[in-house]
Amino acid sequence: DGGITQSPKYLFRKEGQNVTLSCEQNLNHDAMYWYRQDPGQGLRLIYYSQIVNDFQKGDIAEGYSVSREKKESFPLTVTSAQKNPTAFYLCASTSRTGLHQPQHFGDGTRLSIL
Amino acid sequence: AQSVTQLDSHVSVSEGTPVLLRCNYSSSYSPSLFWYVQHPNKGLQLLLKYTSAATLVKGINGFEAEFKKSETSFHLTKPSAHMSDAAEYFCVVSDPLSGGYNKLIFGAGTRLAVHP
């Protein structure tokens, strides 16, 4: 079955530590996205990538970094500069351009501070 | 700028009764609108989408939504709630990015509880 796989499901970060969240898709989608979800709020866009080796900042990129070396993979690093990293992180992808295109989501990674 | 407002943070219904989840949007042009559902600790699943073809949109699991331009609303309904419908629901509007792709603007969500 095609889909988006996020790992790990749960992740804990110590003070001053960088952590990397994995996102892999086998849907052959061009565009990939990272969102952050906080309790009682909708999702907010962190970074997106429309093509390999290119990515753009979203609305809340500070304290995060990404790479897009392969079409299938879009890992997110939460750096020590992100002072409030506790949240649920969701990866998404879409196949084509246009406003009508929905995005497909992975099952998320829950990040907590130790 | 595009935005969505979900008018209720929590809705509680009895099993077998109708469901109404309210959403108002703001858009500077003809919008594309979506409803997604999220079960606990899971990703989001697309319920339905409005793309200007028809104002009444039917989705999965018996849900439907009606686009009303005059009221800038896109309310989600279901005639008869089932216990498995208990989840968080997000109303979403699409916003264009450079390069032709879109980003999604999310409402804050409505948590639906279904009681026996």
Side-chain angles (χ1 to χ4, degrees):
Chain A
D1 279 343
I4 300 176
T5 301
Q6 290 188 241
S7 62
K9 192 170 178 65
Y10 298 95
L11 187 58
F12 298 91
R13 197 191 87 169
K14 296 180 181 178
E15 277 302 319
Q17 184 182 42
N18 294 352
V19 292
T20 297
L21 285 60
S22 171
C23 177
E24 303 276 334
Q25 54 99 357
N26 60 3
L27 300 166
N28 200 32
H29 285 177
D30 291 311
M32 297 185 73
Y33 307 78
W34 274 105
Y35 292 91
R36 171 181 170 134
Q37 184 177 22
D38 294 284
Q41 300 186 34
L43 280 65
R44 292 180 290 167
L45 182 65
I46 305 173
Y47 267 98
Y48 63 96
S49 168
Q50 298 177 2
I51 195 170
V52 173
N53 293 324
D54 185 54
F55 48 83
Q56 305 295 330
K57 292 181 179 180
D59 300 317
I60 55 165
E62 187 174 350
Y64 300 97
S65 65
V66 293
S67 62
R68 188 87 186 274
E69 297 177 1
K70 299 186 300 181
K71 186 176 182 178
E72 303 79 17
S73 179
F74 191 41
L76 173 74
T77 296
V78 184
T79 75
S80 57
Q82 173 49 248
K83 298 307 179 188
N84 183 24
T86 297
F88 192 49
Y89 291 87
L90 287 155
C91 179
S93 68
T94 189
S95 59
R96 300 193 299 273
T97 62
L99 288 177
H100 302 327
Q101 300 309 318
Q103 294 176 12
H104 301 259
F105 286 83
D107 278 346
T109 293
R110 188 166 297 281
L111 176 61
S112 302
I113 295 292
L114 278 179
Chain B
Q2 277 60 250
S3 67
V4 288
T5 302
Q6 293 184 243
L7 300 173
D8 307 291
S9 58
H10 292 83
V11 170
S12 182
V13 300
S14 298
E15 191 175 20
T17 64
V19 175
L20 170 64
L21 305 183
R22 299 182 295 163
C23 172
N24 286 353
Y25 70 90
S26 173
S27 178
S28 52
Y29 46 80
S30 183
S32 289
L33 294 159
F34 308 87
W35 275 98
Y36 281 84
V37 61
Q38 184 182 33
H39 289 91
N41 292 311
K42 290 289 189 181
L44 277 68
Q45 180 184 18
L46 180 69
L47 279 178
L48 50 81
K49 66 177 183 180
Y50 167 75
T51 59
S52 78
T55 56
L56 184 61
V57 182
K58 293 190 182 300
I60 62 171
N61 301 334
F63 284 95
E64 61 183 36
E66 186 171 10
F67 175 75
K68 292 187 177 180
K69 186 175 180 179
S70 61
E71 298 175 10
T72 62
S73 69
F74 189 55
H75 301 336
L76 181 71
T77 61
K78 183 174 180 176
S80 176
H82 191 273
M83 295 296 289
S84 61
D85 294 328
E88 184 120 26
Y89 291 80
F90 292 96
C91 182
V92 181
V93 66
S94 185
D95 197 20
L97 294 168
S98 61
Y101 287 89
N102 64 335
K103 75 173 186 179
L104 301 182
I105 309 294
F106 287 79
T110 297
R111 184 165 298 278
L112 175 66
V114 182
H115 301 288

